[in-house]
Amino acid sequence: MYSFYLFRFCSKSSNFYRSALIYPFNSLPGIYSLDIQANSSSDSCSIQTSSSLDTLNISTVSDMIEKQHWSELKKMLNDADHNQILQQLFDSNVNPSLIFVYFRWLESDYGVSHSLEQYCRLFHLLAKAKLYPKIRKLLNEFVVKNEGKSNSSIFHTLLMFGDRFCRNSVLIDMLMLAYVNNSKVDLAVDAFKLACHYGFKLSVSSCNPMLSALVDEGKIETMENVHKEMIRRRFQPDVITFNTVINGLCKVGKLQKASDLMEDMKVWGFSPTVVTYNTLIHGFCKKGRVGKMYKADALLKEMVLKKICPNEITYNILIDGFCKDENLTAAMKVFKEMQMQGLKPHLVTYNSLISGFCKDGKICEALNLMDEMLGSGLQPNIVTYNALIDGYSKKGMVKEARELLDDAARLGLPPTTVTFNTLIDAHCKAGNMDEAISLRRLMFEKRVFPDISTFNCLIAGFYRKGEKEEVHKLLNEMKKHGLKADVVTYNIRIRALCQTGQSRRAVRLLDEMIEVGLNPNHVTYNSVIDGYCKEGNLRAAMTLRMRMEKEGKRANVVTYNVLIKGLCNKGKLEDANVFLNEMLEKGLIPNQTTYEIVKEGMMEKGFVPDIDGHLYNQSVKS
């Protein structure tokens, strides 16, 4: 192979200036040709590329791309500068679809890493030709490959290659969607903010998926800010926008805000859909408590009034909510109403009800529902069996619970970690540690792997039996399995230490929790406070209560019950009375334990608490 060098000579005042560069022409057969023009009356001669022949040869290249004659194209290009060829394609009138194919071929076959400028130029060419599916494909590849490219540089480069406002708006809109589709929602939000700054017009096609991704990632505050900015910038939302934001607000318990937003929908001219109502109902059901379930039920009535037909999802949400709220009467009422509306209960419906009755200790009713379910042609799944196993376990009927495990296996239903954990916990509570360990071995045989809850059940069981060595073995085994102790693990250990008069050691464990990044809860603090009170160390108990409140945990009814009982046991009845009044002033409602402490710790000792007769009257009634 030889190289033919081209020189340009220019004469001026007897000096020759020569510049030089030059292409190895033999490596580009048929692509470049020369047109040497000489003018005897001129001081210079020039060598130019023939535009007509270049156009012809680019046409040859584009024809090969179109026919996908890649091997021939490789031979033709050989050692050519591919970027230069790409540049010529950009400058020509070649179909952008062919440039797109060539662009990607260079990446896949030659490993060419295209610059941001080349991407942006191709984006504009494709947008001009309205080849949006190709833009989407290229953008998805771009956001994955081009790590480290800031949105500012992308925006700047897009503007450099095209100043059409609408075209840039479309490209940035599609860029945001590509970020979301590739799980880069933070970059999508950054692009959104920058687009707002530049004044580009974005669509709900990109903004709605971004809002949804923020909800899925639990970034509700960011979602709210983005939604506010959309409204401020006069973006035109749609029903999906409102439903997405309502869903996010419900997920974090901002139910009033979610309800207000449903009213805002109407102002914007949108009618809430069954999805809107289902989302709000689910939010209220998840929150629980009587007031919230009442609101959820009221929303169902409102739907019917507005002629928005509740679907199976609506009824399933309500039934599950009432079951978890331990209001089985209301759950069955909704169940019957569902059937009256001609809607067929699903397996999910029956599982919610069976689980609710099992948790309430009503095994017979749960089994009747299972028979009804089988009669309707529905087959139980492992969730159904888990609920029944839990019901039998809670009643202490561990033998029957174990038989259900075998029944599920015969039906070809593989047990889950929840199945085994339920049975293991039942045996641990019954003191059958050998059977509990046997079940854990069976887990491995069935290729069901223990989780942190499995170990927590066993640790609690061995603590009840006083077998501390077995506890230490389990803690070491947890580490081998790569499982980290959670708040429940620490609470079990802390409670065990406090019950054996080792509250100081329990505090060290509490400190360790914080060091490893765990957040102690009320159970943690109340266990240690109770431990100190039982040891008669009221000063330490009060100090820990102050620490608890400094760390953002307000004393609850259990905290006050423990402290009042501790003070009563030490004969400090006046101080106990002060705490009793403090509890009531903070709006905490005394429970049965409170009344029993007052009765046994104060009144039976001849001390009548000074609280305007409220507790005295209640205690007399009890």
Side-chain angles (χ1 to χ4, degrees):
M1 190 173 80
Y2 60 91
S3 297
F4 176 42
Y5 295 95
L6 301 180
F7 293 85
R8 180 182 177 190
F9 295 95
C10 304
S11 63
K12 190 177 180 183
S13 305
S14 76
N15 291 322
F16 286 90
Y17 292 85
R18 134 172 117 174
S19 68
L21 259 181
I22 310 226
Y23 304 97
F25 277 72
N26 60 313
S27 67
L28 296 174
I31 296 180
Y32 297 100
S33 59
L34 302 179
D35 180 15
I36 303 177
Q37 296 178 341
N39 191 333
S40 57
S41 63
S42 171
D43 287 335
S44 65
C45 65
S46 65
I47 297 173
Q48 297 175 335
T49 304
S50 168
S51 60
S52 60
L53 286 172
D54 276 353
T55 305
L56 177 67
N57 290 319
I58 284 297
S59 296
T60 305
V61 172
S62 65
D63 189 52
M64 286 183 178
I65 295 167
E66 188 173 13
K67 291 174 181 174
Q68 296 191 13
H69 291 171
W70 303 119
S71 56
E72 290 177 36
L73 189 60
K74 274 186 180 180
K75 285 176 188 174
M76 180 181 280
L77 299 182
N78 200 9
D79 296 325
D81 184 339
H82 300 297
N83 282 331
Q84 193 174 22
I85 306 297
L86 184 61
Q87 188 63 40
Q88 286 187 306
L89 287 167
F90 281 147
D91 293 338
S92 69
N93 290 320
V94 172
N95 186 334
S97 291
L98 298 179
I99 303 174
F100 169 80
V101 172
Y102 178 72
F103 189 91
R104 297 183 74 234
W105 177 69
L106 287 179
E107 283 184 323
S108 61
D109 279 42
Y110 282 91
V112 172
S113 182
H114 295 299
S115 67
L116 176 59
E117 290 77 11
Q118 289 169 330
Y119 268 108
C120 289
R121 187 151 186 197
L122 183 53
F123 289 144
H124 271 289
L125 284 172
L126 293 169
K128 188 178 179 182
K130 297 184 179 178
L131 297 169
Y132 301 122
K134 286 181 168 54
I135 297 172
R136 276 191 286 274
K137 193 168 190 177
L138 197 62
L139 273 167
N140 280 324
E141 293 169 2
F142 172 75
V143 299
V144 171
K145 291 175 185 175
N146 285 272
E147 295 289 343
K149 297 281 191 301
S150 70
N151 279 317
S152 296
S153 64
I154 294 167
F155 277 43
H156 174 74
T157 311
L158 280 171
L159 286 165
M160 191 170 69
F161 283 106
D163 57 359
R164 290 286 184 91
F165 177 80
C166 289
R167 195 180 297 160
N168 279 317
S169 291
V170 168
L171 287 170
I172 288 158
D173 204 53
M174 293 174 83
L175 173 67
M176 280 173 55
L177 189 57
Y179 280 137
V180 172
N181 290 339
N182 288 279
S183 304
K184 297 186 177 186
V185 69
D186 290 336
L187 283 172
V189 172
D190 181 58
F192 169 81
K193 289 176 183 174
L194 206 57
C196 290
H197 176 72
Y198 275 91
F200 290 124
K201 192 171 181 180
L202 302 176
S203 73
V204 289
S205 300
S206 62
C207 291
N208 284 351
M210 178 176 61
L211 289 168
S212 183
L214 288 167
V215 172
D216 291 342
E217 292 187 15
K219 296 174 179 176
I220 307 304
E221 191 178 337
T222 307
M223 179 215 69
E224 286 187 80
N225 293 334
V226 168
H227 179 244
K228 281 175 190 171
E229 188 63 21
M230 284 173 69
I231 301 302
R232 196 173 75 82
R233 295 274 177 179
R234 297 186 179 178
F235 281 59
Q236 184 61 44
D238 60 10
V239 173
I240 295 168
T241 315
F242 284 104
N243 285 347
T244 304
V245 178
I246 287 168
N247 183 34
L249 294 169
C250 287
K251 278 193 170 183
V252 291
K254 294 183 176 180
L255 300 176
Q256 188 55 56
K257 265 192 176 184
S259 301
D260 292 343
L261 196 58
M262 189 168 82
E263 294 304 312
D264 290 347
M265 282 180 78
K266 298 165 191 173
V267 176
W268 280 84
F270 299 111
S271 296
T273 64
V274 67
V275 174
T276 320
Y277 277 101
N278 285 351
T279 305
L280 260 177
I281 289 167
H282 185 252
F284 281 108
C285 287
K286 196 170 69 172
K287 199 78 175 173
R289 299 197 299 272
V290 177
K292 302 299 178 188
M293 287 310 302
Y294 172 80
K295 179 65 179 169
D297 196 39
L299 281 166
L300 174 67
K301 289 179 173 67
E302 185 183 309
M303 281 179 79
V304 175
L305 238 120
K306 293 190 174 180
K307 299 192 181 339
I308 298 169
C309 294
N311 56 19
E312 290 93 339
I313 295 168
T314 321
Y315 286 108
N316 286 344
I317 290 167
L318 276 163
I319 288 165
D320 189 57
F322 279 121
C323 286
K324 283 175 179 170
D325 204 45
E326 299 176 12
N327 190 346
L328 295 171
T329 306
M332 286 305 292
K333 185 183 172 185
V334 175
F335 178 64
K336 283 170 186 170
E337 188 182 326
M338 178 185 186
Q339 290 170 309
M340 282 170 63
Q341 294 296 324
L343 296 171
K344 194 177 178 183
H346 294 174
L347 181 59
V348 172
T349 323
Y350 282 106
N351 281 349
S352 293
L353 287 165
I354 289 166
S355 178
F357 279 107
C358 285
K359 280 184 169 61
D360 201 40
K362 296 175 179 176
I363 301 295
C364 289
E365 287 87 340
L367 291 171
N368 288 338
L369 278 163
M370 188 166 171
D371 289 339
E372 184 184 317
M373 182 181 81
L374 291 166
S376 69
L378 293 169
Q379 292 300 313
N381 61 9
I382 195 61
V383 176
T384 322
Y385 275 94
N386 285 348
L388 290 166
I389 288 167
D390 184 49
Y392 278 116
S393 297
K394 279 183 166 57
K395 297 275 280 185
M397 301 166 74
V398 287
K399 185 185 173 186
E400 290 81 356
R402 177 58 195 267
E403 284 171 1
L404 280 170
L405 176 67
D406 298 332
D407 287 346
R410 277 193 290 274
L411 287 170
L413 299 172
T416 63
T417 308
V418 172
T419 320
F420 281 107
N421 287 353
T422 306
L423 279 166
I424 287 168
D425 188 46
H427 281 292
C428 288
K429 283 174 178 170
N432 306 326
M433 294 312 297
D434 289 341
E435 185 60 31
I437 294 295
S438 173
L439 279 163
R440 194 185 64 146
R441 280 197 295 270
L442 183 61
M443 283 181 82
F444 285 110
E445 287 172 24
K446 299 281 185 184
R447 300 192 65 78
V448 179
F449 299 101
D451 62 7
I452 191 63
S453 295
T454 320
F455 282 96
N456 287 343
C457 293
L458 291 165
I459 288 166
F462 279 119
Y463 266 129
R464 286 189 203 99
K465 299 281 279 185
E467 297 182 34
K468 293 178 186 176
E469 284 300 315
E470 293 300 323
V471 170
H472 292 306
K473 282 181 191 176
L474 285 167
L475 290 169
N476 289 329
E477 195 179 328
M478 270 172 60
K479 289 176 186 175
K480 285 178 189 175
H481 283 287
L483 293 169
K484 291 182 180 179
D486 63 4
V487 173
V488 176
T489 321
Y490 276 99
N491 284 351
I492 292 165
R493 295 177 67 194
I494 284 168
R495 192 184 300 114
L497 287 169
C498 291
Q499 283 172 348
T500 53
Q502 300 178 76
S503 298
R504 285 186 181 179
R505 282 188 65 192
V507 171
R508 287 201 290 272
L509 268 182
L510 191 153
D511 294 335
E512 185 185 299
M513 280 180 79
I514 296 165
E515 283 170 22
V516 298
L518 292 172
N519 189 18
N521 57 21
H522 277 91
V523 174
T524 322
Y525 286 106
N526 289 342
S527 295
V528 184
I529 291 168
D530 187 43
Y532 275 131
C533 286
K534 282 174 180 172
E535 292 169 26
N537 192 346
L538 292 176
R539 180 176 290 180
M542 298 297 178
T543 304
L544 193 64
R545 181 251 174 129
M546 285 170 63
R547 173 181 164 177
M548 170 185 172
E549 295 196 329
K550 276 182 187 175
E551 290 176 10
K553 300 281 185 303
R554 286 182 60 191
N556 61 12
V557 174
V558 176
T559 319
Y560 279 103
N561 284 349
V562 165
L563 288 168
I564 292 163
K565 188 175 181 180
L567 289 163
C568 288
N569 289 342
K570 290 284 278 186
K572 298 187 174 184
L573 304 183
E574 289 288 350
D575 292 339
N577 190 72
V578 170
F579 271 88
L580 198 54
N581 279 296
E582 186 184 304
M583 181 180 80
L584 294 169
E585 283 164 15
K586 288 189 176 180
L588 295 170
I589 300 166
N591 58 20
Q592 189 60 38
T593 306
T594 319
Y595 297 131
E596 285 169 8
I597 291 165
V598 170
K599 185 181 177 183
E600 293 169 17
M602 294 184 178
M603 295 176 68
E604 286 181 4
K605 292 177 182 177
F607 182 88
V608 179
D610 181 17
I611 44 166
D612 298 328
H614 172 74
L615 264 166
Y616 174 78
N617 292 334
Q618 292 292 332
S619 61
V620 167
K621 287 175 187 176
S622 64

